[in-house]
Amino acid sequence: MSENISVLISEEKIKNRISEIAMQLNEKYKGKKVTVICTLKGAFIFAADLVRQLETDVRMEFLSASSYRGTESTGTLVMKQSIDQPITGENVIVVEDILDTGRTLKHLKEYFTKQEPKSLLLVTLLDKPDRRVADIQCDVVGFTIPDKFVVGYGLDYDQQYRNLPYIGVLDVQEVK
Ligand code: 5GP
Ligand code: MG
């Protein structure tokens, strides 16, 4: 097997969009403390670039979770690593890499809402609305993309390509 990657969103476009999102968040949270929850592993680069443009007090948390389908269409949440400190009464910003079926984020939203934060904002770098199964919307979407498997800028294929500075479409071809 050999893999080809074609650029879908350039490094420059990502950079510009992150600045826009940061401006929006700086306006919204002016003078307030925020807790940013980065979902691992995919969102680590996006979160790192975004928080460095935030002008307010930021507390960072990291979480690793995925959703597995059971008998229910939305499946269940499997938490591999949760946050260290409670978020009760805090302004929380959840930073995701990609919203696909929406199962993971729907579960995460319920999980966080139970902890009664003061506010909860869902931010995703990418959104693939064509694949949505769960009823969930993000408050902030970086880019809406077609139903293609993407890698780079934190996103992997078999733990590879996370370090690419752009977002590309992975095309796996069989070698004849
Ligand atoms: P869902 O929204 O389906 O619950 O899951 C979203 C998760 O599936 C993402 O956080 C990511 O880990 C993975 N995922 C979905 N689409 C893609 C994609 O195009 N590329 C990569 N690398 N991961 C994806
Ligand atoms: Mg994710």
Side-chain angles (χ1 to χ4, degrees), residues 85-111:
Q85 303 276 321
I87 52 164
T88 310
E90 296 189 8
N91 295 305
V92 173
I93 304 173
V94 178
V95 177
E96 256 284 24
D97 51 353
I98 185 164
L99 185 58
D100 188 29
T101 64
R103 290 187 180 108
T104 312
L105 202 60
K106 190 177 165 73
H107 286 299
L108 280 181
K109 188 180 178 182
E110 283 163 11
Y111 178 81

Side-chain angles (χ1 to χ4, degrees), residues 69 73-74 100-103 129-136:
R69 282 192 78 176
S73 73
T74 52
D100 188 29
T101 64
R103 290 187 180 108
D130 294 350
R131 301 237 320 151
R132 196 80 79 255
V133 173
D135 180 21
I136 181 91

Side-chain angles (χ1 to χ4, degrees), residues 19-50:
S19 295
E20 285 174 7
I21 295 171
M23 268 170 64
Q24 195 183 330
L25 298 182
N26 282 331
E27 188 62 35
K28 187 175 169 74
Y29 296 102
K30 210 174 208 161
K32 292 176 182 166
K33 286 185 179 171
V34 296
T35 298
V36 172
I37 303 178
C38 168
T39 61
L40 297 172
K41 300 175 185 171
F44 82 109
I45 294 181
F46 175 40
D49 281 349
L50 183 64

Side-chain angles (χ1 to χ4, degrees), residues 35-176:
T35 298
V36 172
I37 303 178
C38 168
T39 61
L40 297 172
K41 300 175 185 171
F44 82 109
I45 294 181
F46 175 40
D49 281 349
L50 183 64
V51 296
R52 278 181 291 177
Q53 292 198 47
L54 296 185
E55 290 159 0
T56 189
D57 288 350
V58 175
R59 179 168 82 82
M60 286 303 300
E61 284 285 353
F62 298 89
L63 166 150
S64 177
S66 48
S67 83
Y68 284 100
R69 282 192 78 176
T71 44
E72 264 181 273
S73 73
T74 52
T76 51
L77 186 73
V78 178
M79 190 72 75
K80 284 179 261 178
Q81 180 197 319
S82 192
I83 55 176
D84 295 335
Q85 303 276 321
I87 52 164
T88 310
E90 296 189 8
N91 295 305
V92 173
I93 304 173
V94 178
V95 177
E96 256 284 24
D97 51 353
I98 185 164
L99 185 58
D100 188 29
T101 64
R103 290 187 180 108
T104 312
L105 202 60
K106 190 177 165 73
H107 286 299
L108 280 181
K109 188 180 178 182
E110 283 163 11
Y111 178 81
F112 292 134
T113 303
K114 276 189 203 143
Q115 298 183 30
E116 300 184 344
K118 188 174 178 191
S119 64
L120 183 67
L121 191 89
L122 305 178
V123 179
T124 187
L125 178 65
L126 304 171
D127 182 8
K128 279 202 275 195
D130 294 350
R131 301 237 320 151
R132 196 80 79 255
V133 173
D135 180 21
I136 181 91
Q137 273 98 38
C138 265
D139 302 292
V140 179
V141 174
F143 301 94
T144 300
I145 61 166
D147 181 13
K148 297 261 161 72
F149 192 83
V150 291
V151 294
Y153 199 73
L155 290 135
D156 75 310
Y157 170 66
D158 213 8
Q159 300 304 325
Q160 260 196 82
Y161 309 116
R162 292 193 196 275
N163 57 316
L164 295 178
Y166 57 85
I167 290 162
V169 175
L170 184 68
D171 183 22
V172 183
Q173 289 176 334
E174 228 173 35
V175 180
K176 298 245 165 81

